[in-house]
Amino acid sequence: MSNQPQVLTFPATHEGFETAFADLREWLDGSAVGTKAHFNAELVFEEIVTNIVRYGYAGGGDEPVAVELQQGPGSITMTFDDGGEPFDPTGKSDPELPKSIEEAKIGGLGLMLVRKAASDLSYERTDEGRNRFSVTIPAE
Amino acid sequence: MDMDISDMNDDLKKIVLSGRLDTPGVDQVETRFTAAIVPGGKSAIVDLSGVDFIASMGIRMFIAVARALSAKEANIALYAPQELVKEVFDNVSMGDIVPIAATEEEAVAAVSG
């Protein structure tokens, strides 16, 4: 059984995130993907959307965030579309991991987890001035 | 997000977390979790068997508490994570900076070492 594509549209706020996160989980429950894909889809959504909410609109703006959910034969693709500051997550490298707790910095781990979960990532800044970031997750 | 605290002995606390360590879950539990462990300055072990989701916010919470305890010469160890939670830890090499044990006994040994 394959899920119908769905678009979640919500304000770039804490409350918007929580509502959309619940909608995502409902969509995933209706899909036939395995436990790991379900977990990774939630992980990617959480990391990307909390980044957008926290940093994307620091310079102002109130355009909604849209997340397109699509289920393919062996994968789930989520496309995050926001009107915030230009930000290309594919252009970041993984942080250097600390070897001791004293030197551990707190940050940069979210995108690293996204990269580990994804089989494919792509980013474009559209002519309309929006970020479009697509993440494909194997549906194992 | 639920949290249960008990004393293993005079020098060791045990915290049992259950639920989801996503952003809302961390928001709910972080203040209580930190307050239960850090001010006393005792070592702690954390049972994660009831945690079925973790994202970077949850990892940050553990690193922040581990660092605060380290400054007081105490340690923290996490144990019994579910398979997918363990994979998240492995993906950021969390075990290099905070011990992640399979069992309670191993966690006690890791903080007592």
Side-chain angles (χ1 to χ4, degrees), chain A residues 16-60:
Chain A
F17 160 74
E18 290 202 22
T19 305
F21 200 37
D23 291 342
L24 169 77
R25 293 175 68 186
E26 199 171 302
W27 186 82
L28 288 168
D29 285 339
S31 70
V33 300
T35 315
K36 183 171 174 174
H38 193 126
F39 185 102
N40 282 335
E42 290 187 23
L43 182 64
V44 166
F45 186 93
E46 148 106 18
E47 300 297 348
I48 302 293
V49 175
T50 54
N51 256 349
I52 293 170
V53 170
R54 210 170 295 137
Y55 306 116
Y57 290 80

Side-chain angles (χ1 to χ4, degrees), chain B residues 60-91:
Chain B
R60 288 190 185 104
M61 177 178 86
F62 291 132
I63 292 177
V65 167
R67 191 188 323 189
L69 274 188
S70 163
K72 298 186 174 196
E73 297 182 350
N75 302 307
I76 188 169
L78 312 176
Y79 68 98
Q82 294 180 17
E83 188 186 334
L84 293 170
V85 171
K86 173 77 163 49
E87 259 182 59
V88 170
F89 287 142
D90 289 347
N91 279 341

Side-chain angles (χ1 to χ4, degrees), chain A:
Chain A
M1 188 183 78
S2 190
N3 237 348
Q4 291 300 308
Q6 192 173 335
V7 181
L8 309 176
T9 303
F10 51 97
T13 61
H14 209 69
E15 295 71 31
F17 160 74
E18 290 202 22
T19 305
F21 200 37
D23 291 342
L24 169 77
R25 293 175 68 186
E26 199 171 302
W27 186 82
L28 288 168
D29 285 339
S31 70
V33 300
T35 315
K36 183 171 174 174
H38 193 126
F39 185 102
N40 282 335
E42 290 187 23
L43 182 64
V44 166
F45 186 93
E46 148 106 18
E47 300 297 348
I48 302 293
V49 175
T50 54
N51 256 349
I52 293 170
V53 170
R54 210 170 295 137
Y55 306 116
Y57 290 80
D62 57 1
E63 294 192 30
V65 179
V67 183
E68 300 158 26
L69 308 172
Q70 279 183 301
Q71 187 174 4
S75 65
I76 289 174
T77 298
M78 293 189 278
T79 300
F80 300 87
D81 182 305
D82 72 86
E85 304 282 320
F87 178 67
D88 180 0
T90 64
K92 300 281 169 195
S93 54
D94 286 340
E96 196 169 319
L97 294 168
K99 290 290 168 231
S100 74
I101 192 64
E102 287 76 21
E103 56 182 85
K105 289 204 191 71
I106 299 180
L109 296 176
L111 280 177
M112 187 171 172
L113 291 174
V114 170
R115 274 189 288 271
K116 298 273 187 185
S119 56
D120 191 54
L121 302 174
S122 69
Y123 171 81
E124 82 173 303
R125 182 74 180 174
T126 69
D127 293 341
E128 292 78 36
R130 295 183 67 89
N131 296 304
R132 273 182 74 82
F133 180 43
S134 287
V135 181
T136 299
I137 296 161
E140 41 182 290

